[in-house]
Amino acid sequence: MTEKVSAEEMEEIREAFQKVDVDGSGYICASELGDLFREAGFPLPGYQIRELLQKLDRDKDSRIDFEEFTAIFREMKDDRMAQGFRKALSKKEGVVSIKGTSELSSEGTQHSISEQERYAFANYINTALEKDPDCKHCLPIDPNTGHLFKAVADGILLCKLINLSVPDTIDERTINKKKLTAFTTHENLNLALNSASAIGCQVINIGAQDLKEGKPHLVLGLLWQIIKIGLFADIQLSRNEALAALLEEGESLDVLMKLSPEELLLRWVNFHLKSTGMSISNFSGDIKDSKAYFHLLEQIAPDGSKEDVPRIEIDMTGLYEKELRKRAECLLKQADRLGCRQFVTATDIVTGNAKLNLAFVATLFSKYPALTKPENQDWYLESETREERTFRNWMNSLGVNPHVHYIYGDMQDAIVILQLYEKIKVPVDWDHRVNHPPYKGVGGGHLKKIENCNYAVELGKTKAGFSLVGIGGQDLNEGNQTLTLALVWQLMRRYTLNVLEDLGDGAVAGEDLIISWVNKTLKEAGKSSSIKSFKDKAISTSVPVLDLINAIQPQSVNTDLVKRDDLSDEDKLDNAKYAISMARKIGAKVYALPEDLVEVNPKMVMTIFACLMGRGMKKA
């Protein structure tokens, strides 16, 4: 764009983008465009949605990023289709304007946020953290005001929420709780942001200062990511085998493994609606009349057949209430009887707020799945390994699209891998070498996916200089676990080392350089610990890591909490939990887990020391 965008216009564009990007992914996809037009009262047929997406999608990756959106938004003056798009945006419900807190605010600009989300998240947090003594100073949050944005400012509430979604992510001993200063508050916010990143939240454009100032759109975006991760934790086959009941005739378990939590929830709802002859295809337009919800509650409510679980009979008379808002209120009274009146109000249902309705359905599923694992089925489901989880969270924190739920299913067309190449500064020829979804052709475009995978392997060998002996495109497409992880590890390793090269004026970073820097830093700080390699058994105590953290940021580590002599396995894990959280607290974006230190996993150990080296070089 040659013409300069004014601050006011940029805010208008950002507001419009956030209205459409309901899942907060940072990209607009076809389903979100379709929902926008349907909610605005003039639904478009599928071919017109695809036509509009093609018009707006300049890099042809089947989605619209903010840069593309900015470019096309300014060209929407004369185009008939574009005018319809603007009209839909202006009718989008549930959005209020509030004064922003950025520098732009001085120029009289405003941010747009969802009032409905603010209300829902505030109520959820009030319930979830009600009994936590460390949150007494900021709870309860008034859901009708901007109190929520002040409540997150000291970082304590965010840290607690992260541990609620993924238990033990943050060692509570590292949270600053008393007599907070500007510095200790900043530490808490660093701890929260780096821990959120480690569980798979995309926080690239959020800084500690943004949270301290309570910037509404950033706070709501982060809260939704954290809450969603917790809600979706058990909506995966490897952690909930009863989901196999959702298999349709002729399907294998692989099909369910590849479905996202959103898709599994849709299938779960339709499974229970089958006897009524109803079905839904989204959590926006299809649920506005509350009919599907009434029938769902009737199907999943306890029928008294299980011992110690009394029968709850759903009152269906509200289904015949003609006024939709009143009908939705009747529905929520029944949900309350199940202890599931969370996230949505009657307004959220009748306006079809997709995000909050998704959260509501996830709550229903977690309390009353009403599924029985099929009998006479002989299968063994492997749980996600720690390494797989770390890789998945790393990829998601970088904002890859689609969001990765199951590594071996979500990477079969290599689109995610190709995005990761760009993150490590390997150019990708998206226009001439990449086949974009939706894939058409024999077997759902099977050959086109393999072509992508072949290109991904080719890039690794010729442009990235990876060691990919024995790895072919077909291995990625078929989800070969060992070979897929081998490529992903090399991508993560290069990404980590690139950060060091950027800080070191382009000097090539390698393992020897990191070890040398670690030992030099420890010695200069008067520490007695050192490491010979990333396999050094001394690392299992986490003492070298904690000493290094203290060398980078003196007096940051509470030495009374560090166990040093005759350590049991429990002592080692205790030290490791403290070390990982302390690393994140001083600003190192560590993805590894405490167990990686205790077991001295050399790959993950390398990333920990590399991230700390990056933090130390920034300080210097």
Side-chain angles (χ1 to χ4, degrees):
M1 288 186 300
T2 53
E3 202 179 329
K4 195 173 185 297
V5 185
S6 70
E8 288 86 352
E9 193 171 14
M10 183 56 77
E11 284 305 297
E12 181 193 4
I13 295 169
R14 191 177 298 282
E15 173 183 323
F17 187 81
Q18 288 163 359
K19 286 182 184 181
V20 192
D21 178 28
V22 293
D23 65 0
S25 66
Y27 299 95
I28 294 169
C29 60
S31 64
E32 286 172 328
L33 271 183
D35 286 345
L36 170 73
F37 281 95
R38 189 162 48 251
E39 288 173 32
F42 35 94
L44 291 181
Y47 79 91
Q48 283 190 3
I49 293 291
R50 287 192 294 276
E51 185 185 337
L52 180 59
L53 187 65
Q54 285 168 5
K55 179 181 177 64
L56 310 185
D57 177 25
R58 305 198 162 193
D59 61 5
K60 305 303 175 196
D61 62 350
S62 299
R63 59 187 188 171
I64 305 163
D65 61 25
F66 183 68
E67 197 174 323
E68 289 170 324
F69 189 83
T70 301
I72 60 96
F73 196 87
R74 303 183 71 226
E75 295 169 10
M76 288 180 168
K77 302 275 193 323
D78 308 312
D79 188 284
R80 177 190 55 79
M81 187 184 289
Q83 284 172 0
F85 185 53
R86 280 209 169 196
K87 189 176 174 186
L89 280 168
S90 68
K91 288 188 69 176
K92 179 89 171 164
E93 295 187 63
V95 177
V96 294
S97 251
I98 67 163
K99 292 290 178 185
T101 50
S102 64
E103 291 172 17
L104 296 176
S105 299
S106 60
E107 299 172 33
T109 58
Q110 295 180 323
H111 279 305
S112 171
I113 64 157
S114 166
E115 219 172 13
Q116 295 169 330
E117 285 172 37
R118 185 191 71 197
Y119 187 87
F121 297 164
N123 282 328
Y124 170 76
I125 291 166
N126 284 339
T127 304
L129 298 176
E130 181 182 22
K131 293 177 182 173
D132 192 316
D134 297 325
C135 294
K136 278 184 178 174
H137 67 292
C138 59
L139 295 184
I141 298 165
D142 183 350
N144 295 305
T145 69
H147 183 197
L148 174 65
F149 308 119
K150 293 176 183 173
V152 302
D154 66 10
I156 295 174
L157 189 145
L158 285 170
C159 288
K160 297 285 187 171
L161 206 56
I162 288 166
N163 273 352
L164 196 68
S165 283
V166 183
D168 294 327
T169 298
I170 296 172
D171 186 329
E172 292 244 346
R173 296 173 296 175
T174 61
I175 305 173
N176 302 317
K177 298 174 183 176
K178 294 176 182 174
K179 296 179 182 175
L180 294 179
T181 64
F183 178 73
T184 54
T185 295
H186 198 82
E187 281 189 323
N188 279 351
L189 292 167
N190 270 341
L191 176 60
L193 282 170
N194 288 326
S195 300
S197 186
I199 64 170
C201 296
Q202 185 184 350
V203 298
I204 292 168
N205 297 317
I206 309 174
Q209 192 61 28
D210 295 318
L211 298 177
K212 197 172 182 179
E213 293 173 6
K215 292 185 178 176
H217 60 300
L218 296 178
V219 171
L220 288 178
L222 179 59
L223 286 176
W224 170 238
Q225 290 187 77
I226 295 168
I227 291 168
K228 187 166 72 166
I229 285 167
L231 288 173
F232 286 177
D234 289 324
I235 309 174
Q236 48 183 293
L237 199 54
S238 60
R239 292 179 64 166
N240 191 339
E241 291 190 1
L243 282 166
L246 303 180
L247 276 172
E248 293 173 0
E249 199 170 334
E251 282 185 340
S252 66
L253 277 179
D254 270 357
V255 174
L256 282 188
M257 292 288 282
K258 290 173 189 174
L259 294 181
S260 68
E262 292 94 330
E263 290 167 327
L264 280 169
L265 281 176
L266 265 179
R267 191 176 276 218
W268 173 72
V269 172
N270 287 329
F271 173 84
H272 285 299
L273 292 180
K274 212 168 193 176
S275 61
T276 69
M278 294 181 70
S279 69
I280 64 169
S281 60
N282 57 61
F283 294 118
S284 51
D286 288 0
I287 51 80
K288 286 182 177 183
D289 61 7
S290 299
K291 288 181 180 177
Y293 279 161
F294 263 109
H295 290 296
L296 176 63
L297 293 191
E298 187 180 38
Q299 293 295 317
I300 66 174
D303 59 6
S305 61
K306 285 186 181 176
E307 204 175 327
D308 300 327
V309 183
R311 173 181 168 84
I312 300 176
E313 190 165 351
I314 300 299
D315 182 355
M316 300 290 283
T317 55
L319 188 57
Y320 305 103
E321 172 60 57
K322 289 182 180 177
E323 208 273 303
L324 289 185
R325 205 172 297 267
K326 286 181 182 174
R327 186 189 300 168
E329 191 52 54
C330 292
L331 177 276
L332 288 173
K333 282 179 183 170
Q334 299 309 305
D336 196 24
R337 294 178 61 217
L338 294 175
C340 294
R341 184 170 181 156
Q342 262 187 336
F343 292 108
V344 289
T345 62
T347 300
D348 301 327
I349 293 174
V350 299
T351 58
N353 186 313
K355 191 181 290 185
L356 298 181
N357 278 284
L358 176 65
F360 173 59
V361 174
T363 304
L364 290 172
F365 173 87
S366 68
K367 289 201 175 184
Y368 299 99
L371 295 174
T372 306
K373 181 184 171 185
E375 294 179 5
N376 307 319
Q377 297 281 356
D378 187 25
W379 62 59
Y380 172 67
L381 282 172
E382 288 185 3
S383 295
E384 185 179 45
T385 66
R386 282 204 318 271
E387 187 176 49
E388 288 165 353
R389 179 164 46 130
T390 302
F391 288 156
R392 178 172 59 80
N393 287 338
W394 168 67
M395 290 185 271
N396 287 331
S397 75
L398 296 179
V400 295
N401 192 311
H403 194 84
V404 179
H405 299 287
Y406 174 56
I407 284 185
Y408 311 109
D410 294 336
M411 299 176 71
Q412 286 182 324
D413 64 356
I415 292 293
V416 166
I417 294 172
L418 294 170
Q419 289 171 59
L420 292 173
Y421 275 121
E422 289 200 320
K423 302 288 183 189
I424 63 165
K425 303 174 187 173
V426 172
V428 175
D429 186 350
W430 293 100
D431 291 330
H432 305 104
R433 294 295 308 273
V434 182
N435 299 309
H436 299 277
Y439 303 103
K440 294 174 182 175
V442 181
H446 181 65
L447 289 177
K448 295 193 175 206
K449 292 177 185 178
I450 288 184
E451 283 175 2
N452 284 355
C453 292
N454 287 337
Y455 180 45
V457 173
E458 178 193 319
L459 279 177
K461 289 178 177 176
T462 61
K463 302 292 184 187
F466 289 166
S467 171
L468 298 176
V469 179
I471 300 180
Q474 193 147 352
D475 296 313
L476 300 180
N477 179 257
E478 291 173 356
N480 181 302
Q481 297 188 6
T482 304
L483 300 180
T484 299
L485 292 181
L487 173 56
V488 175
W489 160 242
Q490 291 186 72
L491 285 160
M492 185 179 187
R493 180 180 182 277
R494 179 66 57 82
Y495 179 83
T496 306
L497 295 178
N498 276 358
V499 173
L500 295 182
E501 287 175 21
D502 290 345
L503 289 168
D505 298 322
V508 177
E511 297 186 3
D512 291 342
L513 179 72
I514 298 168
I515 292 168
S516 171
W517 183 89
V518 167
N519 288 329
K520 178 172 174 280
T521 306
L522 287 168
K523 188 177 179 182
E524 286 175 355
K527 307 293 182 185
S528 58
S529 57
S530 64
I531 60 169
K532 298 182 184 70
S533 71
F534 297 129
K535 296 178 182 176
D536 194 323
K537 293 296 179 192
I539 293 167
S540 71
T541 66
S542 296
V543 170
V545 179
L546 286 160
D547 281 348
L548 183 62
I549 291 167
N550 229 4
I552 294 167
Q553 191 163 304
Q555 299 181 318
S556 59
V557 173
N558 182 345
T559 52
D560 293 340
L561 297 176
V562 182
K563 302 174 179 72
R564 291 179 180 266
D565 302 313
D566 302 320
L567 302 188
S568 65
D569 289 344
E570 192 178 338
D571 291 335
K572 288 180 178 179
L573 186 59
D574 216 34
N575 276 358
K577 286 178 178 177
Y578 187 54
I580 294 292
S581 285
M582 279 306 305
R584 292 171 183 158
K585 182 177 177 177
I586 69 162
K589 194 168 278 190
V590 171
Y591 291 91
L593 299 165
E595 291 83 357
D596 293 318
L597 283 174
V598 175
E599 295 168 13
V600 195
N601 175 342
K603 290 179 183 175
M604 293 301 148
V605 165
M606 186 281 281
T607 66
I608 294 168
F609 282 114
C611 288
L612 285 169
M613 180 177 170
R615 176 67 186 84
M617 289 170 72
K618 266 186 187 174
K619 194 168 183 288

